Amino acid sequence: TTRADRLSCYGYPRKTTPLVDRLAARGTLFLNAQSSAPLTLAAHTSLMTGLLPLRHGARLNGTTRLCEDVETLAEVLGKAGYATAAFVSAFVLDPMFNLHQGFQTYDARYNTARNKVSELPSERRAEDTVNAFLEWFDQKPAGPFFVWIHLFDPHQAYDPPESFRRIFQDPYAGEIAYT
């Protein structure tokens, strides 16, 4: 849900995303990219499998899951000798939906206090997810590795940390800048 029109590398007038801007300047900036689905689980499963939702099975958040016979990028890289780890920030990517296939480490811890909709644990802030990754990185095995870091902050209900709430009147822009 981080829209391109809110990233400075795509022309957003405020320089709110300097790290993304640097990455875009050194890499490839896609001007016409589309998601395979408008839902987190379906879209991320497509990224990890190269398949459309009707083929991989994870079509809906919270009710469907990745088919076990579908091979993921993490499984392919694990077989090739890579250490594989994922650090996800939202319940919608919980291991119960099977996207953890092939990851030797799949860190999916959530903060129930951030969920304003139900009692289900829903998400954790970007800094907590990144800190979990950094702990893993400091102890990772030698050799090649594949890491997926999923950050969920720019999702409704928008609730940036206080320091970003003071800077940005628009809480969505505050969450993007924070993340």
Side-chain angles (χ1 to χ4, degrees):
T1 63
T2 301
R3 297 188 340 241
D5 68 348
R6 294 301 181 95
L7 302 175
S8 12
C9 60
Y10 286 102
Y12 189 64
R14 290 185 71 180
K15 296 292 182 192
T16 58
T17 55
L19 297 176
V20 173
D21 298 344
R22 283 200 324 242
L23 181 63
R26 294 192 329 236
T28 301
L29 181 67
F30 291 92
L31 300 177
N32 187 17
Q34 297 179 4
S35 177
S36 61
L39 299 169
T40 301
L41 179 62
H44 286 78
T45 303
S46 290
L47 287 171
M48 293 297 168
T49 65
L51 301 172
L52 293 173
L54 286 176
R55 174 62 184 96
H56 61 60
R59 297 178 315 280
L60 300 171
N61 289 342
T63 60
T64 59
R65 57 191 308 230
L66 170 62
C67 297
E68 291 185 21
D69 65 332
V70 173
E71 191 171 48
T72 66
L73 179 58
E75 289 174 302
V76 170
L77 293 173
K79 289 175 188 172
Y82 282 68
T84 58
F87 302 86
V88 300
S89 298
F91 174 73
V92 67
L93 298 174
D94 191 82
M96 75 169 56
F97 305 116
N98 220 20
L99 195 51
H100 70 293
Q101 284 181 200
F103 286 103
Q104 296 152 352
T105 298
Y106 195 86
D107 186 305
R109 292 174 278 167
Y110 317 106
N111 180 354
T112 56
R114 294 261 301 147
N115 188 348
K116 296 173 176 56
V117 178
S118 73
E119 293 303 312
L120 290 174
S122 64
E123 67 180 279
R124 65 177 162 179
R125 287 218 189 263
E127 67 190 285
D128 296 331
T129 303
V130 170
N131 286 337
F133 158 71
L134 292 171
E135 287 176 27
W136 176 87
F137 187 79
D138 287 342
Q139 300 172 15
K140 73 173 180 52
F145 64 92
F146 168 66
V147 173
W148 173 32
I149 301 172
H150 166 263
L151 306 176
F152 197 73
D153 294 80
H155 278 72
Q156 280 189 324
Y158 305 122
D159 182 28
E162 182 60 37
S163 59
F164 288 86
R165 199 174 304 127
R166 284 193 306 267
I167 297 169
F168 296 92
Q169 289 184 318
D170 173 9
Y172 176 66
E175 283 210 343
I176 290 173
Y178 159 74
T179 302

